[in-house]
Amino acid sequence: MTDSNKKHTFREGFEAHLESPIPLLTRVGSFIFGKKIPDSYTKISFYLGMAIWTVFLVWIILGYMVLTNTSWIEAEKGLDIHKLITTRGTELGFSGDDFQNNLILFYNVAIIAWAGIFVGLALQWRKNRYFIYFIWAAGAVYLLGMWFLLGFSYWYNDTTLFDKIAFFFLIGHSGLHYYFLRKELLGEKVNFFGIDEQDENE
């Protein structure tokens, strides 16, 4: 193959690569999650965690967008968002714009916290036992951030039962997954990871 043909082939391949994001996404996915596919239990745990992560992240982003675009929403929809937020803040013991400012700050903290949880989920997929520290630490930042910035009453009254159950399910199930993963890494026989238990007398 001549040099001109090689250059032509390379250019065609490069252009085809640029036209489709799939190869890039595949490489990014391999970099984050690794190339090894984990066992069924780990995959189920990961998918459940990602479902919860997606729900929370979507609500956080939507809430942040509403709070930072109150003037536009009021102009377009005629809904006084600022007044609604201020009224609810007064009921929770805040004054003036303190509640809205704290909400915006909390959403920033929450985005960082759930980014940390995503790192934990990626490590969980890789079956790295350090995943638990990311999920629990980031989860603590999220929950304590809400309590300190918005108050326990806000968490108790203004977050849904689904939010509470989903959050503590993620934390609790992560602990259970860590327990079985640690047993597997120590060489103990478990069956949650596709390792067949055998009679020790055999």
Side-chain angles (χ1 to χ4, degrees), residues 112-185:
I112 295 172
W114 284 92
I117 289 176
F118 178 80
V119 173
L121 290 171
L123 291 176
Q124 184 183 49
W125 177 270
R126 287 173 170 261
K127 297 180 71 170
N128 185 313
R129 64 188 178 89
Y130 291 106
F131 84 91
I132 192 67
Y133 301 114
F134 283 90
I135 292 179
W136 279 10
V141 169
Y142 173 78
L143 192 60
L144 292 175
M146 184 183 297
W147 289 351
F148 281 109
L149 292 171
L150 305 176
F152 183 82
S153 181
Y154 174 87
W155 174 80
Y156 187 79
N157 295 300
D158 291 47
T159 60
T160 66
L161 180 61
F162 171 81
D163 289 342
K164 297 181 181 70
I165 292 174
F167 178 80
F168 286 111
F169 174 82
L170 176 64
I171 299 300
H173 187 263
S174 296
L176 181 65
H177 188 272
Y178 173 77
Y179 170 75
F180 288 114
L181 177 59
R182 187 171 180 274
K183 288 175 69 70
E184 181 192 2
L185 294 176

Side-chain angles (χ1 to χ4, degrees), residues 16-109:
H17 177 78
L18 292 178
E19 290 176 359
S20 174
I22 295 177
L24 177 61
L25 293 176
T26 300
R27 285 205 299 272
V28 171
S30 298
F31 175 75
I32 296 174
F33 300 108
K35 296 181 179 180
K36 186 177 180 181
I37 303 298
D39 53 83
S40 298
Y41 177 64
T42 300
K43 286 194 288 187
I44 293 172
S45 300
F46 171 80
Y47 293 142
L48 286 172
M50 281 300 298
I52 295 172
W53 180 84
T54 301
V55 169
F56 273 84
L57 189 66
V58 168
W59 279 114
I60 290 167
I61 293 174
L62 288 176
Y64 184 83
M65 290 175 63
V66 169
L67 286 174
T68 54
N69 293 279
T70 54
S71 299
W72 179 84
I73 295 174
E74 290 168 6
E76 292 292 325
K77 303 297 182 181
L79 185 62
D80 195 344
I81 299 294
H82 184 266
K83 183 178 180 181
L84 293 173
I85 295 172
T86 303
T87 300
R88 183 55 184 150
T90 301
E91 294 171 353
L92 292 172
F94 293 88
S95 60
D97 292 334
D98 289 347
F99 181 58
Q100 182 171 342
N101 293 333
N102 280 18
L103 267 175
I104 294 174
L105 178 58
F106 165 70
Y107 281 132
N108 282 284
V109 171

